[in-house]
Amino acid sequence: MELYSPEGLRLDGRRWNELRRFECHINTHPNSADGSSYVEQGNTKVVCLVQGPMEPKQSSQSNECTIEVNVNVTNFSTFERRKRGKSDRQVQELVTTLERTFDQSIMTHLYPRTLIKLDLTVLAQDGGLLGTLVNAMTLALIDAGIAMYDYISAVSAGLQDTNVLLDLNNLEEKDMSGLTVGVIGTSEKLALLMLENKMPVDRLESVLALAIVGSHRIRELMDQEVRRHGNDRLRKRNEM
Amino acid sequence: MIKEQKRLAEGLSVTSKVFVRSRNGSAMKIVREHYLRDDIPCYSLACSECLDIVKPDARGETPKFILSSKPTKCNSATNGHYLVVDTNIILHAIDLLEGDLGFYDVIIPQTVLEEVKNRSIPIYHRLRALVRKETKRFVVFHNEYSEDTYVSRLSNESINDRNDRAIRKTAKWYQKHLESKNIDIVFLCNDNDNRFKAKKENIDARSLIEYIDDLPNADELRDLVPADMTSFDELHSSDIMFPEYYSNARIMAGVKNGTVFQGILNISQHNILQGQVNVAQFKKPLLLMGSKNLNRAFNSDAVFVELLPKNQWKEFSYTIVEEDALGGENPDDENIVEPVISDKERQLLAQEAIKETAANRKDDSDKRLQPTARIVGIQRRSWRYYVGQIDPSSVDEAGNAVRDCFVILMDKQLPRIKIRTRKAAELVGQRIVVVVDQWTTTSRFPHGHFVRALGPIESPEAETEALLLEHDVEYRPFSKNVLDCLPKEGDDWKVPEDPNDPSMVGRVDLRDKLVCSIDPPSCVDIDDALHAKRLSNGNFEVGVHIADVTHFVKPGTALDAEGASRGTSVYLVDKRIDMLPMLLGTNLCSLKPYVDRFAFSVIWELDSGANIVDVKFMKSIIRSREAFSYERAQERIDDKSDNDELTNSMRILLDLSQKLKQQRVDNGALNLASPEVKVYVDSETSDPNEVEIKKPFATNSLVEEFMLLANISVARKIYEAFPQTAMLRRHASPPSTNFEELNDMLSVRKPGMAISLESSKALADSLDRCEDGNDPYFNTLLRIMSTRCMMAAEYFASGMYGRSEFRHYGLAVDIYTHFTSPIRRYCDVVAHRQLAAAIGYETLDLSHRDKGKMELIVKNINKRHRNAQFAGRASIEYYVGQVMRNNESEHEGYVIKCFNNGIVVLVPKFGVEGLIKLDTIGDVATAEFDEEKYELHFTDFSGTRRKVGVFDRVQVDVKSIKDEVSGKRKAQLLLK
């Protein structure tokens, strides 16, 4: 399979530095959660619901704010139906990564002795799942009004031979070494860097640079949606 | 199925493709995104609009517009034209497209490219190479990604129809796009239906023949049109010559239930109607006899076979059958009516065959009976370019009419090929290149077509080129892309003087060491040099310095890709085909004397018994003091009066090397022999004038021993650093069955002698014991014959085998690699890179850390290495033939094989072996062949009864004759 043709096109017709179709909605489930969002990156589709900050069930001794993440990968999300238990190793790893990322990005000192619970449902998968999950969580947290230092926007990038490619889909992800970054706001600081296979050190920098540029673009798109939603609410309130 | 189309931004929209597939009974739904864009250029120099829309790729390069603004014209048109080609044209006429006679400015729609890829990967690669080359002006137009040319599949449309429509739409788009530029589009397609539809859409669609007929140089091109497009007239579907192959489903089912086996076909060297297939399930190969059972397979095709009933199991035939002896009719037992047998019975048969091949049979009558089989399908054809010549007897009259004729290939194990040409009379007496197109059940011979002529038979140029083509050696000059990777300074490149230069960092300066090189006389690519010094503690410091090729050949460059694909340099008698461009091989990398050069050094501390105390590896800078030939070095060492430091260090080296050699021999290293000769070519007339058996000096073995030591040390180091992907070389111990026949011959012909196989040590010792007091050459002869029973050594990546299988049997070491000749072997280049990474000099390229990629590299260099050896041997054989042409004489020869109608004799003086057919030396009717004793009894022309047997020394008349049929000159031997 030719992941990147000599004419500079990828399997799905994108060029090297193009993101997949990115669509997001905020406040999708206003009645069932404190904050909610829906994100599509290509064919990867995720719903995120936030509950909290609220009182933890068992009142723990700690003064800290607890962030609890649940990831539910639906059976129909991949092209072959497959049941995954909660203890699925890959899912567990995702959960840990996400918890760590957002521990640092939420102003947890503002919410002592509380629990913030995030429920993520993966409706469809086509590569770049971690990035999409991060983006959905950022939007849902903003919707819930939980204080964060800045947006966390994430996207994957990979290395095919010597070519760097942005936002890998499932086919590309399987055949290339790739990484996912989560960028804080418009800075070049990383809240998340995930590299699960090998990548030559001398190429790492260019892959990182491309992923950061891609994340900034995603942040812009998310920001547009947040502002659109904000204006909507403002208008509705004024009408009342 | 395509769902809705969504517009994302100006010039970019997305659709999704949905397929439903079932695997293992469960349904799968695959959804893929498909982006359509408006920035795909037409690549025409005549077009100015497309220049504005191009976007750079990941390397920051913008696409090149290469389609000429003034393309070639047809006879019937006023405008020049571009070609849009269909898949069937590319699959059938790729040779034609590659040729220089026509077909410039060709547009390949992406749909076609993908269809080609699905049908034939090799043709796909050739097509990609054509596009890369740019001189032929081929471009790929990504019609599937362009908004203007994308078509979605209609509800009741087959995928083929949809693709045809997509291709037509591309042609139409180009037509409209270039209308104002006065450039026509010709759509080439051999499918009548598609062409008809295209014409309805106002596209200028033509078949290949129609198009060629309209070109100014139609006559030249017409002969090159592949066979199945011109239809042979003598095809009568009624006379079926061969059984049909089984359907895929039937073969797969057969493989599963154990009635069909797969393997590679080996046609016997002496009998083209007999082949063997090595099947993993059986210990011995299966025998295939007769053209019906061989069922149109070529030598080295991957085939599927089925066992024949036991009453048809046969003995290995001891008859010589050559293609030219066959004539028109095949002396074939085709009348055997085959009983119908069921799958159940076939499975039982297979079990029996396994038993048969595994058991050590004592029953004498059954001893030579082998299971036979027949071919029921071809997995992969080994078809390639073939070199041959037109059989003069198949061309009866002169004239320009199109006619069929036979081409006899140089490779004796292949059948004649039928081609159709109007130039037959002209081509008689020329070496020509042909390609096989098909072999139908109704035709006795495969059909092919003429590609090009190399030149008259026996002209050195044509013969050399033929030889290179036959062995699949890439001999064309290096392309511009490759040469661009060389240092810009060219011959003036020097080791930088500034020690802070990036290429100097990390290098050790060894310019003070007394380094010298020892090579064959007039060697220009010096890749190794040595030095030695006595240390104060009584030990010795010995250094081996290897040309630092990887400093110039960086991974991922075109230069590296070319080197990797060539794999090795090829040495012919009169010519050397380099793996790397001359500039590197003979100058920048070559460790020439008196100049500074970059090297990769291995430096040991050895004690006086030549045991390794310590070893270090480093990139270095050296300055060789002298380049010796083996002979000159020997003279310096032998000259007692010569006592300068350099000579003394060579004496140290010689002394240590002898100890190393002794160690190796004690461990059981083999000393095998091959009948190697050297041909001297007259420098003025370039006529070969003398043949000599290579004679070694002690200094040969001096260099060899240290190279072996370096290779072993490096192998250990890189295996330690890269346990999965280290580039190594192994030599498997020979299976005992390989020696069965030889040992049997020995026990019958030379009682008391035997070759023992327990270990390489035992083998070496038993070979030493096999001496014939009356015949000093006998031992060498036996070594030559043993060599042929050995397995071939092979390159591998360390992850491919268990540690215990790394052993190099011939050298009797547990791990080995090739490190010392990076100028001429690609394995060494990889080993250099891995060693550099292992010592932390640089990071290792991904391709040498990836198991899959290493396996591909290894597979290729093994094949190239083998081909290079064969090509070298064939070249010597040819020149020996030329030498003998001038001096006919009588020589001593040895019988090495006996058939019931001939013998094979080896002549040590020339290193040639030749077949002596019985009918040339005696009366065939009187011959008696004693298989048990490997003897042939016959009455010669003078009426005396004679017998010859294997290992016999015979006097033969050697003269060189030209085989009128194959055009090959070969040694003709006549028994005295």
Side-chain angles (χ1 to χ4, degrees):
Chain A
M1 212 164 24
E2 199 169 48
L3 291 175
Y4 190 67
S5 72
E7 288 77 26
L9 289 162
R10 289 154 72 173
L11 282 175
D12 54 6
R14 282 183 293 154
R15 294 199 183 276
W16 63 285
N17 56 354
E18 287 174 348
L19 287 172
R20 287 180 289 173
R21 180 175 56 84
F22 185 87
E23 268 176 55
C24 57
H25 298 284
I26 195 170
N27 199 24
T28 48
H29 301 69
N31 303 324
S32 52
D34 297 321
S36 55
S37 69
Y38 172 71
V39 175
E40 280 187 20
Q41 255 173 291
N43 280 327
T44 303
K45 302 172 185 177
V46 168
V47 175
C48 180
L49 304 180
V50 177
Q51 253 127 39
M54 58 190 179
E55 197 178 338
K57 278 198 183 106
Q58 300 123 332
S59 48
S60 63
Q61 298 299 324
S62 91
N63 279 332
E64 306 288 296
C65 163
T66 319
I67 293 169
E68 186 189 317
V69 177
N70 291 309
V71 176
N72 172 24
V73 180
T74 55
N75 298 342
F76 52 82
S77 68
T78 46
F79 52 77
E80 227 171 341
R81 271 177 176 269
R82 189 159 74 91
K83 272 212 173 122
R84 279 185 193 78
K86 266 215 161 159
S87 53
D88 186 290
R89 203 184 56 82
Q90 273 173 312
V91 175
Q92 280 307 312
E93 222 173 270
L94 273 178
V95 167
T96 324
T97 315
L98 292 170
E99 280 176 354
R100 282 195 194 150
T101 308
F102 280 87
D103 250 351
Q104 300 160 3
S105 311
I106 295 173
M107 297 184 180
T108 45
H109 60 277
L110 299 178
Y111 311 106
R113 297 188 202 200
T114 57
L115 169 73
I116 299 175
K117 199 174 148 202
L118 291 123
D119 287 305
L120 290 150
T121 309
V122 180
L123 299 176
Q125 288 191 58
D126 186 21
L129 181 63
L130 179 61
T132 313
L133 290 172
V134 170
N135 295 332
M137 283 168 75
T138 303
L139 286 174
L141 286 166
I142 291 173
D143 185 33
I146 292 168
M148 286 172 72
Y149 291 101
D150 209 330
Y151 282 88
I152 309 290
S153 53
V155 77
S156 62
L159 184 69
Q160 186 269 330
D161 213 6
T162 54
N163 304 308
V164 285
L165 304 181
L166 183 64
D167 198 4
L168 310 182
N169 67 22
N170 190 29
L171 283 173
E172 292 170 328
E173 211 171 59
K174 273 194 295 194
D175 260 30
M176 305 165 39
S177 55
L179 51 77
T180 302
V181 295
V183 181
I184 304 172
T186 52
S187 71
E188 295 201 344
K189 284 185 201 149
L190 301 185
L192 163 73
L193 173 59
M194 188 73 156
L195 173 62
E196 283 177 302
N197 33 31
K198 283 189 238 172
M199 190 174 289
V201 183
D202 43 336
R203 303 271 171 202
L204 189 64
E205 200 178 322
S206 53
V207 180
L208 267 177
L210 181 66
I212 289 172
V213 171
S215 300
H216 286 162
R217 173 76 190 132
I218 283 181
R219 194 205 72 91
E220 263 172 53
L221 293 168
M222 294 200 297
D223 196 48
Q224 273 170 23
E225 167 65 12
V226 170
R227 284 177 198 283
R228 184 199 60 76
H229 177 70
N231 288 333
D232 255 18
R233 289 187 92 164
L234 213 60
R235 207 180 56 243
K236 271 183 194 151
R237 183 193 269 180
N238 292 342
E239 279 167 9
M240 268 157 64
Chain B
M1 191 175 82
I2 301 290
K3 286 207 304 195
E4 86 285 21
Q5 192 163 330
K6 206 174 221 168
R7 182 147 287 270
L8 294 179
E10 185 55 41
L12 191 68
S13 56
V14 62
T15 66
S16 53
K17 290 192 205 168
V18 183
F19 324 87
V20 179
R21 256 183 226 160
S22 82
R23 193 161 66 185
N24 309 333
S26 64
M28 289 180 11
K29 183 175 138 190
I30 301 172
V31 185
R32 284 208 190 127
E33 282 185 303
H34 191 90
Y35 291 82
L36 300 180
R37 46 200 325 131
D38 68 351
D39 60 356
I40 294 177
C42 65
Y43 301 107
S44 168
L45 285 169
C47 172
S48 48
E49 295 108 59
C50 285
L51 277 177
D52 302 332
I53 58 167
V54 295
K55 291 195 178 138
D57 68 4
R59 291 197 190 82
E61 286 162 17
T62 47
K64 277 190 207 147
F65 283 56
I66 55 172
L67 292 175
S68 161
S69 55
K70 290 199 174 54
T72 43
K73 285 179 191 160
C74 282
N75 287 344
S76 61
T78 48
N79 289 340
H81 63 272
Y82 294 161
L83 288 168
V84 174
V85 291
D86 196 3
T87 319
N88 45 37
I89 301 283
I90 293 174
L91 288 175
H92 290 131
I94 183 78
D95 298 324
L96 208 51
L97 296 177
E98 282 174 338
D100 300 328
L101 291 172
F103 300 94
Y104 288 89
D105 301 304
V106 177
I107 297 153
I108 302 157
Q110 180 194 6
T111 318
V112 170
L113 189 74
E114 275 164 19
E115 281 184 341
V116 168
K117 194 174 179 184
N118 289 336
R119 298 277 290 278
S120 164
I121 293 284
I123 294 182
Y124 168 77
H125 284 307
R126 286 164 71 179
L127 191 60
R128 267 293 180 201
L130 265 178
V131 174
R132 237 183 353 255
K133 214 162 91 182
E134 291 179 13
T135 50
K136 284 282 296 189
R137 306 196 294 272
F138 275 51
V139 296
V140 173
F141 179 75
H142 284 259
N143 62 314
E144 301 281 356
Y145 298 142
S146 166
E147 235 175 0
D148 303 315
T149 54
Y150 179 74
V151 296
S152 53
R153 191 171 160 190
L154 303 175
S155 57
N156 53 359
E157 194 177 28
S158 80
I159 188 76
N160 277 334
D161 287 345
R162 184 252 160 217
N163 284 349
D164 286 347
R165 197 154 59 86
I167 297 165
R168 289 199 302 274
K169 188 148 183 186
T170 306
K172 192 78 196 160
W173 180 83
Y174 260 101
Q175 201 174 40
K176 241 170 113 186
H177 185 77
L178 297 172
E179 211 165 20
S180 58
K181 314 289 187 299
N182 287 331
I183 291 170
D184 292 344
I185 296 295
V186 174
F187 175 48
L188 269 193
C189 174
N190 267 3
D191 177 32
N192 292 334
D193 181 49
N194 196 8
R195 216 159 53 225
F196 178 70
K197 283 182 184 156
K199 280 184 183 144
K200 272 213 311 220
E201 293 165 27
N202 263 329
I203 300 169
D204 182 7
R206 303 184 197 184
S207 73
L208 190 60
I209 302 287
E210 284 167 356
Y211 173 69
I212 285 176
D213 284 345
D214 201 14
L215 287 177
N217 55 349
D219 283 340
E220 274 179 283
L221 283 164
R222 220 169 276 136
D223 276 339
L224 304 171
V225 176
D228 52 351
M229 299 198 166
T230 47
S231 88
F232 285 83
D233 15 316
E234 36 71 78
L235 292 185
H236 305 299
S237 53
S238 55
D239 38 82
I240 303 284
M241 310 293 303
F242 296 99
E244 289 278 355
Y245 293 135
Y246 287 0
S247 69
N248 259 342
R250 185 162 171 200
I251 287 176
M252 284 308 133
V255 170
K256 229 173 179 178
N257 69 17
T259 56
V260 172
F261 306 96
Q262 63 196 96
I264 306 277
L265 176 68
N266 285 312
I267 299 279
S268 150
Q269 293 271 346
H270 300 290
N271 182 349
I272 74 148
L273 289 179
Q274 175 169 302
Q276 294 189 325
V277 173
N278 267 311
V279 172
Q281 285 91 333
F282 305 129
K283 277 207 170 159
K284 276 200 168 178
L286 297 175
L287 206 57
L288 294 123
M289 299 180 98
S291 62
K292 261 225 166 113
N293 290 333
L294 286 171
N295 200 359
R296 293 171 280 153
F298 270 51
N299 190 20
S300 73
D301 281 353
V303 296
F304 292 106
V305 296
E306 187 178 73
L307 285 172
L308 288 175
K310 198 170 177 186
N311 58 16
Q312 286 180 36
W313 289 6
K314 285 193 181 139
E315 290 181 16
F316 192 84
S317 160
Y318 281 87
T319 311
I320 300 155
V321 181
E322 283 175 338
E323 173 72 24
D324 50 286
L326 290 179
E329 282 308 311
N330 295 349
D332 214 356
D333 44 358
E334 289 183 1
N335 295 326
I336 295 177
V337 183
E338 187 169 319
V340 182
I341 42 179
S342 70
D343 262 8
K344 241 305 161 10
E345 286 170 298
R346 280 197 195 285
Q347 277 170 347
L348 286 174
L349 213 56
Q351 281 164 12
E352 202 145 337
I354 290 172
K355 238 188 281 164
E356 198 69 29
T357 53
N360 287 328
R361 279 156 274 114
K362 291 178 186 76
D363 187 1
D364 230 31
S365 66
D366 253 10
K367 195 174 166 199
R368 289 166 196 280
L369 216 54
Q370 277 191 344
T372 54
R374 66 158 181 217
I375 289 173
V376 295
I378 305 270
Q379 188 183 17
R380 191 169 15 91
R381 284 285 191 188
S382 57
W383 289 352
R384 55 179 169 92
Y385 284 117
Y386 293 108
V387 182
Q389 68 142 341
I390 289 189
D391 180 357
S393 62
S394 69
V395 182
D396 37 4
E397 71 218 80
N400 269 335
V402 183
R403 68 168 70 80
D404 295 337
C405 52
F406 285 119
V407 176
I408 295 161
L409 302 182
M410 287 180 74
D411 191 339
K412 281 250 156 137
Q413 281 146 282
L414 300 174
R416 282 181 286 181
I417 291 170
K418 201 169 199 173
I419 64 164
R420 189 151 230 251
T421 175
R422 59 178 73 230
K423 285 196 278 197
E426 216 175 291
L427 292 176
V428 170
Q430 301 257 333
R431 281 261 172 257
I432 61 168
V433 181
V434 293
V435 161
V436 183
D437 297 313
Q438 59 178 356
W439 196 349
T440 56
T441 51
T442 52
S443 159
R444 187 175 312 210
F445 296 100
H447 291 180
H449 67 269
F450 165 72
V451 178
R452 67 195 169 96
L454 298 177
I457 288 172
E458 290 227 345
S459 66
E461 302 79 33
E463 293 297 335
T464 306
E465 201 176 344
L467 199 134
L468 294 171
L469 267 172
E470 269 298 286
H471 295 93
D472 196 16
V473 175
E474 175 63 77
Y475 60 93
R476 283 175 293 190
F478 290 95
S479 70
K480 190 173 167 299
N481 286 351
V482 171
L483 295 176
D484 283 348
C485 302
L486 298 173
K488 279 176 219 64
E489 300 88 340
D491 279 317
D492 299 327
W493 180 90
K494 282 195 179 61
V495 168
E497 309 218 332
D498 175 14
N500 296 321
D501 190 275
S503 62
M504 302 287 276
V505 176
R507 280 185 193 274
V508 183
D509 191 344
L510 298 176
R511 278 175 283 201
D512 55 327
K513 306 275 184 205
L514 284 176
V515 174
C516 67
S517 61
I518 310 176
D519 285 285
S522 71
C523 174
V524 281
D525 45 351
I526 304 174
D527 39 22
D528 49 73
L530 297 148
H531 87 267
K533 197 171 79 181
R534 186 185 289 275
L535 295 173
S536 50
N537 64 0
N539 287 349
F540 299 96
E541 176 189 279
V542 177
V544 164
H545 312 275
I546 307 297
D548 189 8
V549 171
T550 51
H551 176 73
F552 299 99
V553 185
K554 296 289 183 207
T557 57
L559 179 60
D560 182 52
E562 184 70 24
S565 91
R566 294 194 178 206
T568 171
S569 292
V570 180
Y571 292 81
L572 305 182
V573 171
D574 56 337
K575 202 172 179 175
R576 188 184 69 233
I577 316 292
D578 290 315
M579 178 179 89
L580 296 170
M582 277 280 270
L583 176 66
L584 289 185
T586 60
N587 190 358
L588 304 196
C589 291
S590 179
L591 301 176
K592 298 201 295 190
Y594 330 123
V595 287
D596 291 352
R597 284 284 177 253
F598 283 159
F600 209 147
S601 302
V602 182
I603 296 185
W604 299 274
E605 186 180 339
L606 300 178
D607 64 16
S608 51
N611 300 306
I612 300 174
V613 179
D614 186 31
V615 56
K616 283 203 266 315
F617 306 96
M618 63 201 77
K619 290 255 185 172
S620 61
I621 309 154
I622 61 159
R623 175 189 276 260
S624 170
R625 296 296 190 272
E626 195 66 64
F628 293 111
S629 67
Y630 290 125
E631 205 168 354
R632 183 82 194 93
Q634 190 70 52
E635 282 166 21
R636 284 280 283 262
I637 291 171
D638 292 345
D639 185 358
K640 295 267 174 359
S641 63
D642 216 335
N643 263 321
D644 65 276
E645 256 189 284
L646 195 57
T647 314
N648 278 335
S649 72
M650 282 201 290
R651 292 195 181 114
I652 297 176
L653 286 171
L654 185 65
D655 180 48
L656 287 170
S657 75
Q658 281 158 353
K659 285 173 185 157
L660 282 169
K661 182 160 190 183
Q662 193 52 48
Q663 281 175 13
R664 245 175 8 97
V665 171
D666 291 345
N667 284 332
L670 298 178
N671 175 17
L672 296 170
S674 58
E676 258 186 282
V677 292
K678 189 168 169 55
V679 179
Y680 287 100
V681 179
D682 191 305
S683 54
E684 265 157 40
T685 57
S686 80
D687 278 338
N689 49 17
E690 207 182 325
V691 178
E692 190 188 57
I693 297 169
K694 282 184 184 171
K695 71 170 175 238
F697 292 99
T699 41
N700 279 46
S701 116
L702 181 162
V703 177
E704 197 187 317
E705 288 306 324
F706 283 106
M707 295 307 132
L708 290 177
L709 193 64
N711 287 337
I712 296 165
S713 296
V714 171
R716 283 196 213 292
K717 182 77 184 172
I718 59 177
Y719 173 59
E720 201 176 280
F722 305 101
Q724 285 298 306
T725 59
M727 171 66 93
L728 301 175
R729 187 169 171 84
R730 70 192 276 269
H731 182 207
S733 48
S736 58
T737 48
N738 283 12
F739 276 93
E740 233 167 52
E741 197 185 358
L742 183 58
N743 255 335
D744 196 39
M745 282 182 191
L746 272 179
S747 67
V748 176
R749 307 286 311 168
K750 300 272 173 186
M753 288 190 196
I755 295 173
S756 137
L757 290 166
E758 283 103 60
S759 65
S760 58
K761 174 96 179 123
L763 183 75
D765 289 348
S766 64
L767 275 176
D768 288 342
R769 275 197 304 274
C770 292
E771 285 279 0
D772 184 339
N774 305 327
D775 190 352
Y777 187 74
F778 174 71
N779 190 269
T780 316
L781 179 72
L782 197 61
R783 284 178 201 273
I784 291 171
M785 291 174 76
S786 308
T787 312
R788 295 182 184 175
C789 301
M790 290 288 174
M791 304 290 283
E794 59 174 357
Y795 297 109
F796 69 105
S798 50
M800 289 161 69
Y801 290 96
R803 179 66 180 86
S804 59
E805 285 169 84
F806 287 10
R807 218 182 130 65
H808 195 293
Y809 185 81
L811 296 173
V813 290
D814 60 338
I815 189 167
Y816 192 68
T817 188
H818 271 162
F819 171 77
T820 53
S821 303
I823 297 177
R824 57 186 177 86
R825 286 190 306 234
Y826 192 72
C827 165
D828 306 54
V829 174
V830 179
H832 271 234
R833 290 190 186 134
Q834 290 182 334
L835 183 64
I839 60 171
Y841 177 80
E842 60 190 7
T843 56
L844 185 57
D845 185 65
L846 206 58
S847 61
H848 302 328
R849 272 187 284 162
D850 182 304
K851 226 172 142 184
K853 288 194 176 141
M854 279 300 286
E855 264 171 51
L856 288 181
I857 294 177
V858 161
K859 209 171 137 193
N860 183 50
I861 58 178
N862 275 327
K863 184 174 115 196
R864 298 291 166 193
H865 182 80
R866 210 162 42 235
N867 284 348
Q869 278 183 325
F870 289 151
R873 264 180 235 159
S875 170
I876 289 176
E877 199 179 304
Y878 169 72
Y879 275 97
V880 168
Q882 295 295 317
V883 172
M884 287 188 300
R885 192 173 167 182
N886 308 329
N887 25 10
E888 239 171 70
S889 51
E890 186 185 319
H891 288 285
E892 226 166 57
Y894 290 85
V895 179
I896 56 172
K897 226 172 196 158
C898 256
F899 295 98
N900 62 17
N901 59 352
I903 53 175
V904 178
V905 174
L906 175 84
V907 181
K909 166 88 165 78
F910 295 117
V912 293
E913 62 180 82
L915 181 68
I916 304 182
K917 281 199 213 161
L918 195 52
D919 52 13
T920 62
I921 46 174
D923 187 0
V924 184
T926 64
E928 261 176 70
F929 177 50
D930 188 347
E931 274 176 42
E932 302 293 300
K933 288 201 160 133
Y934 299 97
E935 270 178 0
L936 186 63
H937 301 259
F938 64 95
T939 313
D940 69 10
F941 290 129
S942 59
T944 36
R945 191 78 183 153
R946 295 185 55 165
K947 78 169 196 207
V948 283
V950 171
F951 299 133
D952 280 0
R953 178 160 42 168
V954 290
Q955 288 295 319
V956 284
D957 251 345
V958 181
K959 73 174 175 201
S960 155
I961 54 137
K962 194 166 119 189
D963 184 343
E964 282 310 326
V965 189
S966 72
K968 225 175 181 176
R969 185 170 284 278
K970 58 181 182 184
Q972 158 112 330
L973 306 177
L974 267 182
L975 205 57
K976 275 275 169 175

